Amino acid sequence: MGNSGLSTGSILRGLQIRMAIPLTGSLICQTPMLTFKPAWEAYFYEALTQFHADNVMYMEIRTTLPNLYDLEGNEFGPEECARTYKRINDQFKRDHPDSFGARIIYAPIRLVSPEQVSAYVMTAINIRAELGDFLAGFDLVGQEDKGRPLEAFVEELVNVPSNMNVFYHSGETNWYGTTS
C-alpha cells in the first residue's frame, strides 16, 4: 500500500482524532488526513478487513471519489481514486479468497451546475470504460431541498449510458407545493 513508511495502525490511530466542532467542520478538517493517498489505501483496506470480520462478504460503496494527494505534491483525480479503490479491493480479495470484495457507486455532490453534472457523467463513463463492472453505478448525492431538483439535470443525466446503473435516491415530491 504505498511506500510512505507509515503503518496502517499509525494512520488509523491518527484518523481516530476527534474534533470538538460540528460534524461538517470536522469532516472538512479531516478530509486532508483521509485523502492522503497512503492513508486512503490503509483506511479502505482496514474497512474491508473489519467488514469481513463481521461476515460482510460484499459491499457497494457510495463515494464522491475525492482528489487524493501524496507527499511529492502530486494530486490524483476521481479516476485515479477509482483505480486506487480497485487496486486495494483486488489485493484484499487475493488476501481473503472467501470475500467477494466491493464495488463503487460514483456519487458526486449534486449542488453544482448542469455543466459540472455533465463532467461527472463523463467521469463515470471513463471509469466504466477502464474498470468495467467495478463501477456499480452512478448517483448524485446531497440534500435535495438545498439545491436544484433532479429534474434540473435531465439533459445531462440522459447521457448516462443505458448499461450503467443509476441510484437516484431522491426524496423529491411535489407535496406542499415544492419541487423537492
Side-chain angles (χ1 to χ4, degrees):
M1 286 188 275
N3 297 325
S4 66
L6 297 173
S7 70
T8 300
S10 67
I11 291 170
L12 293 175
R13 279 190 295 281
L15 294 175
Q16 293 172 351
I17 297 170
R18 299 289 185 247
M19 304 180 114
I21 55 179
L23 178 61
T24 302
S26 177
L27 291 175
I28 290 169
C29 291
Q30 290 176 9
T31 297
M33 286 190 294
L34 293 174
T35 58
F36 175 53
K37 195 171 183 197
W40 187 265
E41 294 167 346
Y43 185 78
F44 181 50
Y45 193 94
E46 182 64 21
L48 290 171
T49 300
Q50 291 198 17
F51 277 107
H52 185 263
D54 289 337
N55 291 318
V56 176
M57 296 295 143
Y58 173 74
M59 294 185 296
E60 288 185 352
I61 300 166
R62 193 176 307 264
T63 175
T64 61
L65 296 176
N67 289 344
L68 304 177
Y69 72 95
D70 65 20
L71 293 180
E72 286 77 44
N74 299 308
E75 190 168 316
F76 308 96
E79 292 174 20
E80 180 59 25
C81 184
R83 284 184 211 104
T84 300
Y85 268 121
K86 181 156 182 8
R87 184 174 46 77
I88 298 303
N89 181 65
D90 291 348
Q91 180 62 52
F92 184 83
K93 288 180 4 180
R94 282 190 297 276
D95 295 346
H96 301 84
D98 62 327
S99 174
F100 295 103
R103 296 192 316 159
I104 59 172
I105 299 169
Y106 179 38
I109 303 298
R110 64 184 275 150
L111 301 175
V112 296
S113 69
E115 295 79 20
Q116 185 60 54
V117 171
S118 288
Y120 290 158
V121 169
M122 283 308 306
T123 297
I125 291 169
N126 293 339
I127 291 169
R128 180 64 174 235
E130 181 179 343
L131 303 180
D133 286 340
F134 182 69
L135 179 68
F138 179 78
D139 191 4
L140 289 174
V141 297
Q143 191 173 339
E144 287 85 4
D145 63 348
K146 298 287 184 190
R148 298 179 177 152
L150 283 176
E151 68 184 4
F153 302 117
V154 168
E155 287 184 39
E156 293 73 29
L157 297 176
V158 297
N159 293 316
V160 174
S162 60
N163 67 346
M164 185 182 301
N165 294 324
V166 293
F167 299 90
Y168 304 132
H169 61 284
S170 172
E172 299 170 321
T173 70
N174 62 1
W175 299 352
Y176 309 113
T178 64
T179 59
S180 40

